[in-house]
Amino acid sequence: MRRNALQRTAAARLTTSLLCSTALAGAVLIAPAAAQSTSASKTSADSIETVTVTAQRRSQNILDVPYNISAVSGATIDQNQVMSNAELMRSIPGVTVVDRGPRNATVVNGIRIRGLNVDSSALGDYAVSAAATVSTYVNDTPIFANFLLKDINRVEVLKGPQGTLYGSGALGGTVRYVLNAPELDRYNGSIEVSGSHVDNSGGVGFSATGIVNIPLTDTLALRLNGTRYDYPGVTNDVNLYTLDKSGIPVAPNGVLSPNAVYHRKNGADYAKGWYGRAALLWKPTSNFNVTFNFMGQSDQYGGRRTTTLGANGYGVPYKANESGNVLPEPGTRDVWLGAMEANLDLGFATLTSSSSYYDQHGDIVSDNTGFYAQNGWYADFYYNYPRPASEASRGYGDKAFIQEVRLVSEGKNTIDYVFGLYYQNQLESSFQNSFLLGFKQWWDAANPGLASAVTGNQDWLFTSQQRYVSKAVYGELTYHVTQTVQLTGGFRYFEDSSTNKVHMDFPLWAGLYAPSNSNGRTSNSKAIFKLNGSWNFAHENMLYGTFSQGYRRGGTNGTPTSGNFAESPAWLSYQPDTVNNYEIGAKGKFANIVYNIDAFYVDWHNPQINTSTTNWGFFAVQNGKSAKTEGIEAQANAFSGPWHYGLGYTYTESVLTAPLIAADGSYVINTKGAELPGAPKNILTGTVDYNMSLDSGSAVFFHLDGYYQSSSLDTAFSPNVFKNNTTIYPPPSYAPVNSPFYGEPKYYDKMPGFMLWNASVAYSFGNWTTTLWIKNIFDANGVTGVYTQAYMGPFPAENYYGNASKALISLPRTVGLTVKYNF
């Protein structure tokens, strides 16, 4: 009897994970009917039930949502040992992601839906000003925080504008992380421990997670979870300066000599930290409940996950996973989020109030030595001082209060509705302190009579503080014309305002430049609309069409227009950008196959691009004129006994439909018809699962998934603009010396396509599950961003022998073992 019970428990757990994992190949999340979950051989069309989602603000069968929505269950994330949001997003058709590794994953939102992107893939060391084209939510809080994927119920990916359903709006789509809620009726939990090893790493990665759900009374329940992780690095910094106690490069033969001391640091890109969450549910009556959520995460990073391109200044080529930085590039991040959600069931509708506050801040150090060298700045401004070392210490902060109230009908009427009010008060801040390490020490020794001319090693100071206030009213009205035909109209009216305060200074040369303080202010209001129609031509089979408008807020750059740092007034502010999204599709299931296919066309007006000003290169946002993206998304999942097969394909063509010109009109960034960056034309995903019950009372689950994307561009800049044209005139001959990469584009790079494969095998017995897994089986580079050598490479004529160019690579081949106990 015990053996049979154990066998049923193991088979049920693995079968559920098997069928939930369909989202890793397509956009539909499936689970087996409970009555059939004990025997994978009985899987059939009748035993497949569609999982409930809340994408339209009410609980619905996912096949009843009349547009393309993807969902990945928490069971799938756990079962397949999904390690990062980059890995998760790669499983969703129509979604791409810039995989910047742990160090940069929290700074810039790298999620892109349907090719809506103009920004360079190499962004990531500073917080950009423009809002992301894809909004992200943790439950009902709009925040991009990249929390660890722990104790999650599901992740929903909604494609296309969502401003008529979600308070913060969205230009290209919305990603929702829905967390597991406390339960009143049972005590349960789990303990999970993982160990892993990455190719080229000298250590073993470790993570441990504990989850517990505690019913305190009949009306009160508490859910706690926590994770501690520590992953060794895979990138080796092979030519770091050895620094003295003051953080200055060691000069073994004196500060006037060009000699330096170098050392190697293996595993420089380590990542470690913790995550915790506490959720309290109070349900005093059957129609009223309040949930309090508090969650926090603290991360520490040793450096970038990268491979440097080319060779060092002595001609020695870099190997895979070797970095040519001369300075370390660590980072830290801390974030916490508190939220309260109250729901009152009125019978005819549910009234929800969601209040939340979050605070996220971090700092990151960048080695800018190659950047200075390729601009010729050491020769032009700093006398080619020996052992050049330019460190940029950057910080970012984002905190906000959000209040949202909405009324949602029960979804069973001839006319259903969603109506909401939204308020957000957000403060974003950023700073950069740049230092020429060792310059002051060299200057005083080389020019003892002019020591007072140089104040110290800091050569630039930048601070920015931006306040955004958003108010919106939004809603949708759905008319069920018949039992099979429905029409939906949606609207959103909002008012946005922003203020920006910027302070800049070049303090290194005493009295040469006066500090600059500037301010900016903008305000906008607009109404956007949505129209959707759908027809259920058969049971759980639907045709649908949607027109929806999206909007992204504008803002101010706060750039100075007078004084030493003057820029054109054209850089003062940037306007909102908007999209008109058109989509037709079909979704449903027949026999043992679940499918979803759609075609989309997006007309993009005034696209925002994060760039820099013409004269001084300050961080700034500007608008282009227009762009478009169009394509198809298709996915299917098939079930046959213990087998599951999934396949997804996306074709996307994203181009400028007008020339992209610098805000001040000084140059053409790119021409009409140019391809948008980070938008591969072809993406293919696939998965195969097999579930096997054993006579021993246990079960085994096999999983294999693959991802392919075609080539893509690193930037919106044409290869014909911003070429390296650095020429220096070093003593004693004063003969011109060109950069080693003279004439090459600084930013443009066409990144090759790549393929990633993952696999796992899980053995389950009773309450225990052991999973052996491997990521990136064939150790592909998976490059999604590049810093070129023309931008940051070596320049021996400026005493720079390192190389700060780099390719942002995916996680190398990783093998791990996870043991989990459920109680």
Side-chain angles (χ1 to χ4, degrees):
M1 292 291 292
R2 173 173 170 78
R3 176 177 170 179
N4 291 337
L6 291 174
Q7 183 173 358
R8 286 195 298 271
T9 301
R13 184 177 299 117
L14 289 177
T15 303
T16 300
S17 297
L18 163 68
L19 296 177
C20 286
S21 68
T22 62
L24 291 180
V28 182
L29 176 65
I30 308 300
Q36 303 295 336
S37 64
T38 59
S39 177
S41 63
K42 295 181 181 180
T43 302
S44 66
D46 292 336
S47 67
I48 300 173
E49 69 177 44
T50 303
V51 167
T52 298
V53 294
T54 55
Q56 296 196 116
R57 296 302 197 178
R58 62 172 65 88
S59 296
Q60 284 181 290
N61 180 320
I62 194 171
L63 296 181
D64 289 338
V65 178
Y67 52 84
N68 195 329
I69 171 178
S70 302
V72 181
S73 73
T76 298
I77 293 170
D78 290 344
Q79 179 67 51
N80 296 331
Q81 298 299 311
V82 177
M83 297 187 68
S84 68
N85 275 281
E87 180 185 351
L88 175 65
M89 290 300 128
R90 277 194 292 258
S91 70
I92 309 296
V95 182
T96 57
V97 64
V98 180
D99 189 354
R100 299 184 176 94
R103 172 183 177 270
N104 295 95
T106 60
V107 183
V108 178
N109 186 339
I111 303 172
R112 297 163 178 174
I113 293 179
R114 293 178 173 173
L116 287 174
N117 173 66
V118 188
D119 290 338
S120 166
S121 296
L123 290 176
D125 273 21
Y126 61 90
V128 297
S129 296
T133 59
V134 175
S135 66
T136 55
Y137 275 76
V138 176
N139 284 346
D140 280 333
T141 301
I143 178 177
F144 175 73
N146 250 356
F147 286 110
L148 294 179
L149 298 170
K150 298 299 181 181
D151 201 22
I152 290 179
N153 182 274
R154 64 188 180 278
V155 178
E156 299 178 357
V157 180
L158 293 70
K159 299 165 190 174
Q162 303 298 327
T164 61
L165 283 171
Y166 292 86
S168 71
L171 197 69
T174 295
V175 177
R176 298 183 64 226
Y177 300 88
V178 182
L179 308 179
N180 283 319
E183 300 173 273
L184 291 169
D185 57 351
R186 61 175 181 158
Y187 171 85
N188 66 347
S190 65
I191 298 173
E192 179 183 276
V193 178
S194 293
S196 60
H197 175 74
V198 187
D199 279 16
N200 301 305
S201 172
V204 175
F206 167 82
S207 70
T209 298
I211 302 171
V212 62
N213 185 86
I214 307 170
L216 300 175
T217 69
D218 291 342
T219 62
L220 202 63
L222 176 66
R223 190 175 188 90
L224 303 171
N225 66 79
T227 297
R228 172 66 176 167
Y229 75 93
D230 190 340
Y231 298 126
V234 300
T235 301
N236 302 322
D237 288 344
V238 296
N239 48 232
L240 291 172
Y241 282 134
T242 298
L243 307 179
D244 63 21
K245 293 181 179 180
S246 301
I248 305 302
V250 169
N253 298 327
V255 295
L256 296 179
S257 167
N259 294 52
V261 178
Y262 297 92
H263 72 281
R264 178 188 181 103
K265 183 177 182 180
N266 292 335
D269 60 321
Y270 67 84
K272 58 185 178 181
W274 61 265
Y275 163 80
R277 172 179 170 242
L280 181 68
L281 169 66
W282 180 48
K283 189 175 182 180
T285 66
S286 60
N287 66 336
F288 177 72
N289 64 78
V290 182
T291 302
F292 301 90
N293 263 298
F294 182 86
M295 54 199 301
Q297 186 168 327
S298 181
D299 306 289
Q300 182 179 342
Y301 314 110
R304 303 177 197 258
R305 189 177 69 206
T306 183
T307 291
T308 289
L309 309 172
N312 65 21
Y314 299 102
V316 180
Y318 292 96
K319 300 176 183 178
N321 302 107
E322 287 188 342
S323 171
N325 296 331
V326 295
L327 297 172
E329 297 189 308
T332 64
R333 191 280 297 259
D334 293 279
V335 58
W336 64 267
L337 163 65
M340 180 186 74
E341 180 180 308
N343 297 285
L344 176 62
D345 185 352
L346 302 173
F348 61 91
T350 298
L351 179 65
T352 299
S353 172
S354 175
S355 307
S356 56
Y357 182 85
Y358 68 81
D359 187 345
Q360 179 173 210
H361 55 275
D363 60 79
I364 202 162
V365 176
S366 304
D367 178 7
N368 270 6
T369 313
F371 172 69
Y372 276 49
Q374 290 305 324
N375 281 296
W377 290 351
Y378 293 122
D380 289 346
F381 305 118
Y382 306 116
Y383 297 90
N384 256 5
Y385 87 103
R387 295 171 302 282
S390 295
E391 178 185 272
S393 177
R394 299 182 171 116
Y396 61 94
D398 177 16
K399 53 186 177 182
F401 170 75
I402 301 104
Q403 177 63 53
E404 188 169 356
V405 178
R406 62 182 177 272
L407 185 67
V408 181
S409 66
E410 59 181 349
K412 300 177 182 179
N413 306 310
T414 302
I415 297 179
D416 283 307
Y417 52 85
V418 175
F419 178 77
L421 299 172
Y422 177 81
Y423 172 80
Q424 181 179 25
N425 191 325
Q426 182 180 17
L427 179 65
E428 292 185 344
S429 59
S430 61
F431 71 82
Q432 177 170 327
N433 294 308
S434 295
F435 301 91
L436 292 175
L437 303 180
F439 182 79
K440 171 64 173 173
Q441 290 76 5
W442 168 82
W443 176 267
D444 289 352
N447 305 278
L450 299 173
S452 61
V454 174
T455 63
N457 288 325
Q458 185 167 5
D459 69 320
W460 192 43
L461 181 153
F462 170 88
T463 62
S464 173
Q465 192 172 76
Q466 304 177 76
R467 173 78 66 180
Y468 298 98
V469 177
S470 300
K471 305 172 185 176
V473 55
Y474 64 90
E476 289 190 358
L477 195 66
T478 299
Y479 174 40
H480 299 277
V481 182
T482 68
Q483 290 185 343
T484 60
V485 177
Q486 67 177 21
L487 297 173
T488 297
F491 78 100
R492 174 184 174 87
Y493 177 79
F494 51 88
E495 296 179 352
D496 293 337
S497 64
S498 70
T499 57
N500 192 1
K501 298 180 180 179
V502 173
H503 173 73
M504 287 180 282
D505 191 11
F506 283 82
L508 187 141
W509 296 107
L512 184 60
Y513 299 108
S516 169
N517 293 284
S518 54
N519 300 282
R521 181 183 298 272
T522 63
S523 61
N524 294 280
S525 61
K526 189 176 177 64
I528 59 175
F529 301 95
K530 171 183 176 179
L531 181 63
N532 171 271
S534 63
W535 171 46
N536 289 79
F537 61 90
H539 178 62
E540 292 191 311
N541 286 269
M542 175 190 293
L543 293 173
Y544 62 88
T546 300
F547 165 75
S548 55
Q549 295 180 308
Y551 169 94
R552 178 167 53 164
R553 71 188 185 202
T556 177
N557 292 311
T559 51
T561 57
S562 61
N564 294 323
F565 309 126
E567 295 283 356
S568 166
W571 291 103
L572 276 175
S573 61
Y574 54 98
Q575 298 303 308
D577 55 351
T578 59
V579 297
N580 290 327
N581 178 84
Y582 305 86
E583 176 183 344
I584 58 172
K587 63 193 299 186
K589 68 178 184 180
F590 62 90
N592 63 338
I593 296 176
V594 180
Y595 68 93
N596 194 336
I597 183 170
D598 69 83
F600 61 88
Y601 175 85
V602 184
D603 189 11
W604 193 2
H605 299 277
N606 299 323
Q608 295 174 12
I609 174 174
N610 287 281
T611 183
S612 57
T613 59
T614 303
N615 295 337
W616 290 90
F618 301 136
F619 305 139
V621 183
Q622 70 155 84
N623 295 97
K625 187 174 181 181
S626 62
K628 71 172 183 179
T629 177
E630 57 188 340
I632 59 171
E633 299 158 335
Q635 51 275 323
N637 293 276
F639 302 88
S640 178
W643 290 92
H644 158 248
Y645 311 90
L647 189 65
Y649 172 71
T650 304
Y651 174 81
T652 306
E653 184 170 345
S654 304
V655 298
L656 294 172
T657 53
L660 185 59
I661 302 172
D664 58 4
S666 59
Y667 63 93
V668 177
I669 296 173
N670 217 328
T671 58
K672 178 180 178 180
E675 180 182 337
L676 300 186
K681 286 189 175 181
N682 297 285
I683 298 176
L684 187 66
T685 59
T687 189
V688 178
D689 298 309
Y690 180 75
N691 183 30
M692 179 173 61
S693 299
L694 304 177
D695 291 338
S696 62
S698 57
V700 181
F701 171 67
F702 299 92
H703 170 79
L704 175 70
D705 68 75
Y707 170 88
Y708 165 78
Q709 75 170 51
S710 60
S711 62
S712 60
L713 297 182
D714 184 53
T715 179
F717 286 89
S718 162
N720 300 315
V721 300
F722 280 113
K723 290 187 175 181
N724 187 314
N725 59 1
T726 300
T727 300
I728 62 173
Y729 299 85
S733 65
Y734 292 93
V737 176
N738 293 338
S739 162
F741 311 101
Y742 189 88
E744 297 181 15
K746 282 191 172 184
Y747 307 120
Y748 179 90
D749 188 87
K750 188 167 186 177
M751 300 173 291
F754 60 89
M755 183 178 295
L756 302 172
W757 290 92
N758 307 309
S760 64
V761 55
Y763 174 78
S764 182
F765 183 83
N767 291 329
W768 292 90
T769 300
T770 301
T771 306
L772 177 66
W773 46 271
I774 180 169
K775 305 294 182 183
N776 196 359
I777 296 172
F778 302 105
D779 201 24
N781 283 329
V783 176
T784 52
V786 171
Y787 295 76
T788 68
Q789 294 196 81
Y791 180 43
M792 302 193 80
F795 203 161
E798 290 213 320
N799 294 320
Y800 177 55
Y801 293 90
N803 187 337
S805 72
K806 51 189 69 73
L808 307 181
I809 60 173
S810 60
L811 180 71
R813 179 168 46 233
T814 303
V815 178
L817 181 68
T818 299
V819 178
K820 185 174 184 178
Y821 176 73
N822 295 285
F823 58 87

